Amino acid sequence: MPAVSKGDGMRGLAVFISDIRNCKSKEAEIKRINKELANIRSKFKGDKALDGYSKKKYVCKLLFIFLLGHDIDFGHMEAVNLLSSNKYTEKQIGYLFISVLVNSNSELIRLINNAIKNDLSSRNPTFMCLALHCIANVGSREMAEAFASEIPRILVAGDTMDSVKQSAALCLLRLYKTSPDLVLMGEWTSRVVHLLNDQHMGVVTAAISLITCLSQKNPDEFKTCVSLAVSRLSRIVSSASTDLQDYTYYFVPAPWLSCKLLRLLQCYPPPEDGAVKGRLVECLETILNKAQEPPKSKKVQHSNAKNAILFEAISLIIHYDSEPNLLVRACNQLGQFLQHRETNLRYLALESMCTLASSEFSHEAVKTHIETVINALKTERDVSVRQRAADLLYAMCDRSNAKQIVAEMLSYLETADYSIREEMVLKVAILAEKYAVDYSWYVDTILNLIRIAGDYVSEEVWYRVIQIVINRDDVQGYAAKTVFEALQAPACHENMVKVGGYILGEFGNLIAGDPRSSPLVQFNLLHSKFHLCSVPTRALLLSAYIKFINLFPETKATIQEVLRCDSQIRNSDVELQQRAVEYLKLSSIASTDVLATVLEEMPPFPERESSILAKLKKKKGPGAVSVPDLEDGKREGGELNGGGERGPDSAAMSASNASTPSPSADLLGIRSAAPMGAAPTSTGSLLVDVFSDAGPAAPSTAVNDDGFLSSAPPSEDPATLLSEADELLNKFVCKNNGVLFENQLLQIGIKSEYRQNLGRMYLFYGNKTSVQFASFTTTVSCPGELQSHLNVQTKPVEPVVEGGAQIQQVLNIECLTDFSEAPLLNIKFRYGGALQNLSLKLPVTINKFFQPTEMTSHDFFQRWKQLSQPQQEAQKIFKANHSMDTEVLKAKLLGLGTALLDDVDPNPENYVCAGVIQTKGQQVGCLLRLEPNGQAQMYRLTLRCSKDSVSLRLCELLAQQF
C-alpha cells in the first residue's frame, strides 16, 4: 500500500537527524531541536486531521530528541492514538514511544491498558507480540495487576502461535520478577510445565527461563518439570548436529537450551525415580564423553558453546554430590583445562575444582593436580586466576600436603598482589593451625608470615599464635627462642615486636640460661624496638617489662629506671603514663609473693572457634544460603587448643585493674576472658572434653557451664518423622560433611568430627526464603534406651533466622556404650504465621567412633580366628546398589572410619578393614571383609566384632552403602 511505502521512508525524520548531526556546536543543536519542537507542537495543536504517517513521523522525532537527552512533555496522547492503528509500523512506533517515555504513574495508563487488551484479544500474532513486548518493557505493578491473569492463558492456549508463546513466557517472567505476589500460576502450573515438551525449540527455550525462576521460589509446585527436563535434555544430548539444524550453533545442538535445562535441574535434588536418574546420569556421561572428542570446528564459537554445556553439567554433578564416578570424571576433565591456553577456561576450572575439593568423593582426585595449581599460582598473569589458584590450594589442603601448600603460599606471598595479600595471610594462618602436627612448625610458619607480610597480618592472627603457645607447654621454650632470634633482625615488623614482647614476658625464663639470651639481653633487645612502635605496642612492652621484674629480679633496677624516666611517667598518652606509674609503684611496694601472684603466668585460654576463620568468612562476605564453609572443618581437621577470643594485652589488665583500657585492647572481646585464676582447660585433645567430670546426662534441658543443653526427652507432641529420614541417615554413614536436608524453605548442612568416644557436630540452618523464620527452636532427643547409650549436648540457637541468612548450632556427643538407634532432631519455626514442624534423624552412627587399626596379614587372620563364635559374626550377601568402582569402594571404606589393609587377603579383589570402636565403657574390636563379585554384581560382607550387637548393626548399615 502507498501509505506503508511512504511510512517506510519517513524522509522528514531522516532530514532532521541529518541536520542534528551537521550542527557545529551545542547551541546550534539546541536551536535546531527547539525549532523542531515548536513545529511539532503546532502540528499537534493546529491540524486536527493529521494522518497516521504524520503522527508516526512526529512521534519518532520526539523519541529521537528524548534519546539525545532533552525532556519531552507532550506527544503522549498522539503516541497512544497510534496504538489503535491497524498498520504495523504505526502501532510499532506507538508502543516504542510508550515503552520509553510513559511512566507507570501516567494518567494515560488506563488508555494504554485498554489498547493492549484490544491487541491481546485481536488474535493477530504480530499485534499480540507488540503488546506483550510493551508489557515486559514497562513491567510496572499496574501492568502486572492488569495482565497477570491474562498472559498465562495466552501462553498455554492451544491455538496460540509459537512466536506469541515465546513472547508471553518472557513477558510473564518479567512480571514475576517485578511483582511475584501478583503472578499466581495456580491452575496453569502443569500446563506451563508441559511446555517443555513443545515441538518448537524456541518455545521451550523461553518457557524454561520462566519455569526456572518459578521453581526457585516454589520448587514443590514445579517438581514435575524434572522428568520432562531430563527427557528433553536426553533428546538434545543424544542427537546429532544435523537433527536440530535450525538450533545447531557451530556443530553444537541447542547449546543455550541445554545450559538452561542443566541449570533448572540444579534447583532440585537428584531424581528419586530410578529410571529418570539413570537417564540423567547417561546424559551427564555423554556430555563428559563429548568433551573428550576432537573438536568439529576450530572456531572459538564452537569451543565456547561446547564448554558452556560442560561447565553447567559439572555444576549439576557437584550440586548432586551423589555420583562418585561422575565427580571423579568431572575433576579429571577440569584438570585438563588447568593448562588450557584460554585464560577464562583456566579460571572456570579452578573455580569449579574449589567446590569439588569439598566433596569427599572427589577430594583425592583434586589433590592429584596440586603441582599444576602451584604452577598457576606462580606463573599466571591474571590476578583473578592467581586468586582462584590460591583458593583451590586452600580447599585441597589436608594433613598429607599441608606443609607443601603452606610453603608455596608463603613463597607466593612475597610477590603477591596487594589486593589479595590479607586474604592469603588469613588462609596461611588457618591452614598452619588446622594441620599443625608439629607445633614448632606452626610457630615458624606464623613468624615467617609476619616477616613476609607483616602489614597484612591482622590482630586476630598474632592473638591466635599467642593463645596456642600459652596452651601448649611443649612449644613454649621453642617459641621463646624463635621470637628472640627473629627480634634480632635490624628491620623488624611491629607485629613481630608484639608477639616477641608477649612471649618473652611470659616464657623468657625458659631461654634465660643461655648467656646469649640472658634476662638483660632479652630486655635490651625488646627495649631497642620501643621507640619505633605505636602506642598500643608500647603499652604491651611495658606489661612485658613488669613481667620481667617478676621472672628476673636482677633486671628490677634497670627496668625501674626505664619506667621512672620522664618519657614514661610524663608521657602525653594517658595509657602509657598510667601503666608506667602503676607498674613502677607495684614493683616498688609489693612483696615478692604479691608480685608473683599478680604477675603469674597466664592460664590456658578457653577453647572456641578460631577468630581467624571467622574473619576469613566475614571477608568473603555473605553468600547464598548453603553450606559454603564446610571445607573449613572437613576431613580430619580440627581446632587446636587455645581458641579463646581474649587478646594478649589482658595480662596488663590483670596486673592493673584500675588502668584505663587501651583503644585496641578489646578488639576481640577480651573483657569477657577467663580471670587469671581460672582453672586450666584440657590441652590434650583437639575436641573439648565437655564430659570430663560428668556421667551420663539426665534427660533434662539444663544448661551446663559451657552453655550447652543436655539432650531432651522425646517431645509430647513430636512431628512425624520424615519418610526419607533413614535414607538421609544412610547418606552420612561414610562421610561427615554435606547437606542433610533441604526443602523449599530450609536447608540443613552438617559437618562433624570425632575423636575416640567424643564427637562434635556443627549444624547449619539456612533460610532459603526472603521472609524471616520466627520462634526458631531445635531439640535433640535420644529415644528409649539411647539416653543411656549416647550423651548429646546442644548449644541453643537464635530464635530468629532472617531471610537468606544462615545460623550455626554446635553439638557435643559422647558415646557411652554401643547403640543402634539415632538421635532425633526436631525443628520448629513460624514461616508467614504458619507453624512448621519437622523431625529427622541425626547422622550419628556407631561407626563414627571407630579408631583405625593397622595390622599385618598374620595378625589379622589370627584375630579373625579368635572371633569365631557364631554370635560374633554377621554376614550378608546382597546385590550391588551402586557402581562397583574400586576407588569409590576404597573411599567409602576409609570414610567408614576403619583402616583399609593392603596385601592381607589372598584374593586381591577383596577388601579387609580393621578398627576399634571407642565407647566410654569399653572398646569393641571389629574386623571387616568385603568380597565383590563383578560378574554377578553382588557382594558378600562379613563382620566379626567382640560384641555381637555391634556386628549386626554395622552389617545393617554397610549393606546400604555398596
Side-chain angles (χ1 to χ4, degrees):
M1 293 186 298
V4 172
S5 59
K6 182 181 178 184
D8 287 340
M10 283 199 289
R11 183 171 176 278
L13 175 64
V15 170
F16 172 62
I17 293 173
S18 177
D19 290 347
I20 293 295
R21 289 178 174 172
N22 291 331
C23 289
K24 303 296 184 183
S25 64
K26 185 70 175 175
E27 291 75 16
E29 177 184 307
I30 293 173
K31 183 177 179 181
R32 178 68 182 90
I33 286 172
N34 287 337
K35 177 182 177 183
E36 191 63 39
L37 286 174
N39 177 53
I40 296 172
R41 199 184 299 268
S42 65
K43 293 290 185 182
F44 283 168
K45 286 186 177 180
D47 191 349
K48 300 295 183 182
L50 277 176
D51 60 2
Y53 164 76
S54 299
K55 285 183 184 178
K56 178 183 70 171
K57 179 178 67 175
Y58 293 135
V59 167
C60 268
K61 288 183 178 180
L62 291 176
L63 188 57
F64 179 72
I65 292 169
F66 175 78
L67 295 178
L68 290 175
H70 300 271
D71 291 333
I72 301 297
D73 56 2
F74 70 99
H76 299 75
M77 181 56 76
E78 284 70 18
V80 173
N81 290 337
L82 285 174
L83 300 184
S84 58
S85 171
N86 287 324
K87 295 180 180 178
Y88 169 75
T89 54
E90 294 174 7
K91 191 182 288 285
Q92 179 194 32
I93 296 301
Y95 276 124
L96 182 60
F97 185 92
I98 288 164
S99 299
V100 175
L101 273 90
V102 176
N103 61 53
S104 58
N105 298 323
S106 171
E107 297 175 355
L108 300 174
I109 202 71
R110 187 172 296 176
L111 291 173
I112 295 169
N113 286 351
N114 286 335
I116 291 174
K117 284 181 180 177
N118 290 335
D119 283 336
L120 289 179
S121 60
S122 68
R123 312 312 297 170
N124 182 321
T126 305
F127 292 174
M128 291 176 76
C129 285
L130 285 175
L132 290 167
H133 295 168
C134 180
I135 296 170
N137 286 329
V138 176
S140 64
R141 189 168 183 83
E142 290 74 13
M143 289 279 191
E145 289 174 346
F147 303 109
S149 59
E150 175 70 11
I151 297 173
R153 184 187 61 78
I154 296 173
L155 177 60
V156 300
D159 57 347
T160 303
M161 291 188 65
D162 293 332
S163 59
V164 179
K165 285 185 178 180
Q166 289 176 256
S167 298
L170 297 176
C171 178
L172 197 59
L173 174 61
R174 162 71 169 162
L175 294 184
Y176 184 76
K177 287 182 175 180
T178 56
S179 306
D181 55 316
L182 297 177
V183 181
L184 304 174
M185 299 307 295
E187 60 184 296
W188 309 110
T189 300
S190 61
R191 297 175 69 182
V192 169
V193 168
H194 276 82
L195 288 174
L196 294 177
N197 276 336
D198 198 279
Q199 293 181 348
H200 192 278
M201 298 286 277
V203 173
V204 179
T205 305
I208 200 169
S209 298
L210 173 64
I211 294 168
T212 301
C213 186
L214 293 170
S215 298
Q216 289 168 347
K217 299 287 185 181
N218 306 291
D220 282 350
E221 288 185 32
F222 291 87
K223 62 184 178 183
T224 54
C225 70
V226 173
S227 58
L228 296 178
V230 172
S231 175
R232 175 64 78 169
L233 180 65
S234 176
R235 278 179 277 166
I236 295 172
V237 169
S238 60
S239 66
S241 57
T242 53
D243 296 341
L244 300 169
Q245 288 185 352
D246 292 341
Y247 289 90
T248 296
Y249 179 78
Y250 288 88
F251 303 102
V252 181
W256 284 274
L257 180 55
S258 299
C259 289
K260 289 186 176 186
L261 287 166
L262 290 164
R263 203 166 296 164
L264 170 62
L265 292 171
Q266 291 174 48
C267 298
Y268 292 91
E272 296 177 0
D273 187 308
V276 175
K277 186 175 182 179
R279 196 172 183 184
L280 177 56
V281 169
E282 286 180 14
C283 290
L284 296 173
E285 287 177 341
T286 304
I287 293 171
L288 292 174
N289 291 337
K290 286 186 176 180
Q292 299 289 341
E293 296 174 0
K296 296 179 180 177
S297 170
K298 292 183 179 180
K299 293 194 174 181
V300 68
Q301 292 92 336
H302 171 73
S303 59
N304 282 348
K306 192 175 173 181
N307 291 332
I309 297 171
L310 175 63
F311 276 103
E312 283 298 338
I314 291 174
S315 296
L316 181 61
I317 293 169
I318 295 171
H319 170 74
Y320 284 167
D321 193 22
S322 61
E323 295 294 330
N325 286 333
L326 290 178
L327 284 164
V328 172
R329 286 194 62 189
C331 180
N332 294 336
Q333 181 62 52
L334 291 172
Q336 296 177 20
F337 286 142
L338 292 180
Q339 295 178 310
H340 200 279
R341 59 186 178 83
E342 176 61 43
T343 305
N344 290 335
L345 277 180
R346 296 197 301 274
Y347 178 92
L348 291 170
L350 289 166
E351 189 174 48
S352 298
M353 288 185 84
C354 283
T355 313
L356 274 174
S358 65
S359 170
E360 297 190 10
F361 296 120
S362 54
H363 179 73
E364 292 300 320
V366 173
K367 281 168 56 180
T368 61
H369 302 285
I370 184 171
E371 296 299 334
T372 307
V373 179
I374 289 171
N375 187 55
L377 188 66
K378 294 177 179 177
T379 60
E380 278 289 349
R381 295 182 180 180
D382 192 314
V383 63
S384 62
V385 180
R386 292 199 298 273
Q387 185 162 8
R388 291 289 80 79
D391 289 343
L392 180 53
L393 283 176
Y394 175 76
M396 70 166 62
C397 188
D398 59 20
R399 289 206 188 284
S400 66
N401 57 20
K403 288 192 176 182
Q404 180 188 3
I405 287 177
V406 168
E408 293 293 348
M409 293 177 84
L410 277 173
S411 174
Y412 173 64
L413 254 179
E414 299 193 37
T415 56
D417 297 80
Y418 296 112
S419 59
I420 65 172
R421 282 196 181 188
E422 184 179 1
E423 187 178 322
M424 289 280 293
V425 165
L426 292 174
K427 287 179 175 176
V428 170
I430 290 168
L431 294 178
E433 176 185 343
K434 184 184 293 184
Y435 300 113
V437 177
D438 178 1
Y439 288 93
S440 59
W441 171 75
Y442 170 73
V443 171
D444 287 339
T445 299
I446 299 299
L447 295 183
N448 205 16
L449 191 63
I450 295 173
R451 180 186 62 79
I452 293 171
D455 290 337
Y456 299 90
V457 175
S458 63
E459 291 195 319
E460 288 87 351
V461 175
W462 74 265
Y463 280 5
R464 192 69 175 157
V465 70
I466 293 298
Q467 292 159 2
I468 289 171
V469 169
I470 284 179
N471 284 31
R472 299 293 308 188
D473 296 338
D474 55 341
V475 80
Q476 291 164 358
Y478 181 82
K481 176 177 177 292
T482 308
V483 295
F484 176 78
E485 293 171 353
L487 287 171
Q488 293 177 353
C492 192
H493 196 274
E494 188 168 335
N495 280 332
M496 186 72 79
V497 178
K498 291 176 182 177
V499 175
Y502 194 96
I503 290 180
L504 292 179
E506 292 291 328
F507 310 113
N509 59 311
L510 299 178
I511 60 170
D514 189 332
R516 293 170 297 180
S517 55
S518 64
L520 274 176
V521 172
Q522 291 183 42
F523 169 73
N524 290 331
L525 180 61
L526 282 177
H527 197 55
S528 67
K529 315 290 182 185
F530 188 89
H531 66 288
L532 300 172
C533 298
S534 62
V535 168
T537 306
R538 292 185 186 188
L540 186 147
L541 289 177
L542 289 178
S543 299
Y545 297 168
I546 191 67
K547 288 269 190 174
F548 269 35
I549 292 178
N550 178 49
L551 291 175
F552 316 116
E554 65 268 30
T555 64
K556 182 174 180 180
T558 306
I559 293 174
Q560 283 183 335
E561 190 62 34
V562 170
L563 295 174
R564 195 177 289 117
C565 68
D566 284 354
S567 62
Q568 304 301 339
I569 61 175
R570 298 183 187 280
N571 196 293
S572 58
D573 185 86
V574 66
E575 173 69 18
L576 293 180
Q577 182 187 119
Q578 187 168 358
R579 288 193 185 214
V581 170
E582 292 185 359
Y583 291 166
L584 180 61
K585 200 68 174 174
L586 178 65
S587 65
S588 302
I589 65 173
S591 67
T592 306
D593 292 341
V594 172
L595 203 61
T597 302
V598 174
L599 300 172
E600 69 179 345
E601 188 177 303
M602 293 292 288
F605 288 80
E607 177 123 8
R608 297 178 193 162
E609 182 189 24
S610 169
S611 54
I612 311 175
L613 190 57
K615 184 176 177 69
L616 180 63
K617 291 176 184 176
K618 183 177 180 182
K619 184 172 179 63
K620 282 292 186 185
V625 174
S626 61
V627 191
D629 299 306
L630 289 187
E631 72 266 24
D632 296 326
K634 65 177 179 283
R635 297 176 296 279
E636 72 269 33
E639 299 295 339
L640 293 177
N641 283 331
E645 301 302 312
R646 173 177 52 180
D649 203 36
S650 55
M653 309 313 296
S654 301
S656 176
N657 292 332
S659 61
T660 306
S662 165
S664 65
D666 200 35
L667 286 176
L668 296 177
I670 60 177
R671 299 289 179 265
S672 61
M676 287 291 298
T681 57
S682 168
T683 59
S685 169
L686 299 188
L687 289 170
V688 181
D689 186 359
V690 296
F691 311 105
S692 55
D693 297 315
S700 67
T701 55
V703 181
N704 67 11
D705 293 337
D706 297 308
F708 281 84
L709 301 174
S710 298
S711 57
S715 170
E716 295 178 4
D717 182 26
T720 303
L721 197 63
L722 291 177
S723 58
E724 66 269 28
D726 288 323
E727 180 184 344
L728 297 175
L729 177 75
N730 287 330
K731 278 174 53 181
F732 285 85
V733 170
C734 293
K735 67 175 185 176
N736 290 332
N737 308 325
V739 177
L740 175 62
F741 170 77
E742 184 171 11
N743 63 10
Q744 68 270 30
L745 303 179
L746 178 70
Q747 182 187 63
I748 304 174
I750 186 172
K751 70 175 183 180
S752 52
E753 52 186 350
Y754 297 85
R755 296 291 163 86
Q756 297 185 350
N757 70 315
L758 300 177
R760 172 167 284 186
M761 181 179 289
Y762 298 86
L763 293 173
F764 301 87
Y765 303 101
N767 183 347
K768 295 175 65 177
T769 72
S770 57
V771 181
Q772 71 170 206
F773 295 162
S775 305
F776 190 90
T777 58
T778 64
T779 308
V780 176
S781 59
C782 295
E785 294 182 355
L786 189 60
Q787 292 185 44
S788 58
H789 295 182
L790 203 64
N791 191 354
V792 182
Q793 295 182 344
T794 62
K795 280 271 191 181
V797 294
E798 295 292 329
V800 175
V801 186
E802 297 296 337
Q806 176 178 282
I807 62 172
Q808 174 184 304
Q809 183 177 31
V810 184
L811 281 68
N812 283 330
I813 304 162
E814 182 185 31
C815 179
L816 305 175
T817 184
D818 66 281
F819 58 94
S820 57
E821 294 299 319
L824 301 181
L825 173 65
N826 180 247
I827 303 163
K828 293 182 181 179
F829 59 93
R830 290 196 173 273
Y831 169 72
L835 178 64
Q836 307 291 324
N837 189 0
L838 61 96
S839 194
L840 62 157
K841 293 183 178 181
L842 276 180
V844 181
T845 48
I846 188 64
N847 65 287
K848 300 297 182 186
F849 302 97
F850 257 128
Q851 293 294 307
T853 304
E854 295 293 340
M855 284 184 171
T856 64
S857 178
H858 175 265
D859 292 339
F860 178 85
F861 284 107
Q862 184 179 16
R863 181 61 178 154
W864 184 267
K865 291 175 183 177
Q866 291 172 355
L867 298 171
S868 57
Q869 297 181 22
Q871 66 270 23
Q872 292 178 324
E873 180 178 285
Q875 189 176 87
K876 192 166 188 178
I877 300 173
F878 55 93
K879 193 163 184 64
N881 298 314
H882 307 283
S883 167
M884 300 181 76
D885 182 84
T886 303
E887 294 302 318
V888 175
L889 286 174
K890 287 183 178 179
K892 287 187 175 181
L893 289 169
L894 288 171
L896 181 67
T898 57
L900 184 59
L901 308 180
D902 295 325
D903 303 323
V904 170
D905 197 292
N907 184 350
E909 299 295 321
N910 295 344
Y911 302 90
V912 291
C913 302
V916 177
I917 291 177
Q918 303 277 351
T919 72
K920 188 175 183 181
Q922 66 179 130
Q923 295 183 341
V924 182
C926 300
L927 301 178
L928 178 151
R929 192 177 189 188
L930 182 66
E931 301 168 84
N933 184 333
Q935 291 182 340
Q937 291 290 297
M938 301 282 286
Y939 289 103
R940 178 165 65 184
L941 173 66
T942 310
L943 278 145
R944 290 190 180 182
C945 303
S946 55
K947 195 169 183 181
D948 54 346
S949 57
V950 175
S951 302
L952 293 170
R953 178 57 178 159
L954 286 175
C955 191
E956 178 187 343
L957 284 173
L958 290 177
Q960 307 292 326
Q961 303 302 311
F962 302 109

